[in-house]
Amino acid sequence: RRWQHRSAIEVTNEPILEFKPGSPERAALQKALADLKGKTEAIPCVIGGEEVWTPNVRYQLSPFNHAHKVAKYCYADKELINKAINAALAARREWDLKPIQDRAQIFLKAADMLSGPRRAEVLAKTMIGQGKTVIQAEIDAAAELIDFFRFNAKYALELENSQPISVDISTNSMVYRGLEGFVAAVSPFNFTAIGGNLAGAPALMGNVVLWKPSDTALLSSYAVYRILLEAGLPPGVVQFVPAEGPVFGDTITSSEHFCGLNFTGSVPTFKRLWKQVSDNLDRYRNFPRLAGECGGKNFHLVHRSADVGSVVNGTLRSA
């Protein structure tokens, strides 16, 4: 008996909208942008489904209008981060035992929400909060994030369907389990989609997650988090934990239940976390998995045949 490849679901890349004058997507986005004008959204820490505020209150400013406080939020302290760890661990067993088909449906529903009724909201919050143009926001906060959720679900289902070869006298099977502990997701300022993916991909595979969003992407990250909850993600699976970087890093890496890091950010920060994990290796119940994407230097190599004006404009756009 041989397992034969059979796609669990069919997905395609999310179409990129053009926002032409008179188009429905342009009207929806203009309304969403107008709704955000001059407003400050209160964004709490969310621990075990409960909204929590600490005295350490901060504000996210719009990068092109520093007078506009787009979000009021608070930092979780060490005690609250440990509470988030306990809340995640309490939800781990039930979530890990949930069939992958059920977990995948949550992310497919979230993708549908992002594709349709919540698209304009997430785009507007990415534009106002992170200073992106409409096309930059569209290819990130809409198209890429939707693709992450849909393709991750597709590949997860295919993994589950992929089984070892069995013969008449024995049956071989494989079960994909979440890690025993919690995964920390540390997401960057510049891509809304990466935040949703760093927290979402481990959760899809049966893990529980502490999501530390970037201080300068709180508004869009919280919108994605709320969409996941509305799509059916149980409250304890992903904890939303804004925090000061060193406090978060010190706390998670000192927990015996730390089992994974999903990271996008700077090289020095990732190195610091890696060293902390190495120093604490003897205290962990498991071997932590570390996955990191770090910033590059973005060198431009210009050939002598290049059009100088195009090089200059491309460099400025890139910067």
Side-chain angles (χ1 to χ4, degrees):
R1 303 167 190 161
R2 290 183 177 272
W3 174 81
Q4 295 185 355
H5 179 80
R6 194 170 64 253
S7 181
I9 55 172
E10 294 296 332
V11 297
T12 58
N13 291 114
E14 176 70 9
I16 295 172
L17 304 182
E18 296 184 354
F19 299 90
K20 292 181 177 179
S23 66
E25 66 266 20
R26 187 184 181 104
L29 179 58
Q30 287 176 327
K31 181 182 184 304
L33 289 168
D35 290 343
L36 292 177
K37 193 170 184 179
K39 290 186 179 177
T40 303
E41 182 172 344
I43 299 177
C45 300
V46 184
I47 312 298
E50 295 184 8
E51 297 183 357
V52 181
W53 284 91
T54 70
N56 194 350
V57 173
R58 302 294 178 108
Y59 292 91
Q60 179 189 348
L61 307 180
S62 175
F64 57 86
N65 179 11
H66 291 182
H68 182 192
K69 297 175 179 178
V70 299
K72 173 186 176 182
Y73 65 98
C74 64
Y75 273 166
D77 55 20
K78 181 177 180 180
E79 181 181 357
L80 191 58
I81 296 169
N82 280 320
K83 186 176 179 181
I85 291 172
N86 291 332
L89 294 175
R92 192 193 74 81
R93 179 174 171 81
E94 183 177 350
W95 177 246
D96 188 29
L97 290 174
K98 186 178 286 291
I100 183 61
Q101 291 81 3
D102 294 349
R103 297 199 302 263
Q105 286 304 317
I106 293 170
F107 287 89
L108 292 171
K109 182 176 180 181
D112 289 345
M113 293 168 67
L114 283 162
S115 178
R118 305 297 285 277
R119 193 185 201 110
E121 174 198 349
V122 176
L123 290 179
K125 289 180 175 179
T126 299
M127 293 170 70
I128 298 296
Q130 288 142 270
K132 294 203 172 192
T133 64
V134 60
I135 188 59
Q136 290 168 345
E138 168 69 6
I139 63 177
D140 163 27
E144 187 171 15
L145 183 53
I146 292 164
D147 283 355
F148 274 142
F149 286 170
R150 286 180 177 157
F151 280 90
N152 285 355
K154 168 188 171 66
Y155 296 142
L157 290 168
E158 288 181 355
L159 269 179
E160 192 77 6
N161 287 339
S162 177
Q163 292 295 326
I165 296 172
S166 295
V167 294
D168 290 336
I169 60 172
S170 65
T171 300
N172 299 315
S173 62
M174 182 179 293
V175 176
Y176 290 87
R177 302 177 57 237
L179 301 175
E180 295 186 3
F182 70 91
V183 174
V186 178
S187 58
F189 72 95
N190 54 340
F191 282 99
T192 302
I194 292 178
N197 190 47
L198 290 181
L204 169 67
M205 296 306 296
N207 296 284
V208 289
V209 181
L210 266 66
W211 181 5
K212 190 200 97 56
S214 168
D215 293 355
T216 49
L218 252 295
L219 189 66
S220 62
S221 295
Y222 189 64
V224 173
Y225 178 66
R226 295 298 308 176
I227 288 170
L228 284 171
L229 292 178
E230 290 171 30
L233 188 73
V237 172
V238 176
Q239 318 289 323
F240 192 80
V241 193
E244 187 177 10
V247 174
F248 184 81
D250 293 349
T251 307
I252 61 166
T253 57
S254 63
S255 170
E256 64 177 338
H257 301 288
F258 174 72
C259 68
L261 173 66
N262 225 11
F263 175 91
T264 294
S266 71
V267 171
T269 301
F270 192 50
K271 282 184 175 180
R272 180 179 188 272
L273 289 167
W274 195 299
K275 288 177 181 177
Q276 286 179 297
V277 171
S278 179
D279 290 341
N280 293 330
L281 200 56
D282 289 336
R283 76 171 59 186
Y284 300 133
R285 294 189 173 195
N286 213 321
F287 287 99
R289 280 73 158 171
L290 307 178
E293 176 194 6
C294 300
K297 297 301 182 186
N298 214 22
F299 291 112
H300 287 199
L301 304 179
V302 182
H303 193 265
R304 67 182 64 185
S305 64
D307 177 76
V308 175
S310 296
V311 171
V312 171
N313 289 330
T315 302
L316 289 172
R317 281 185 174 182
S318 176

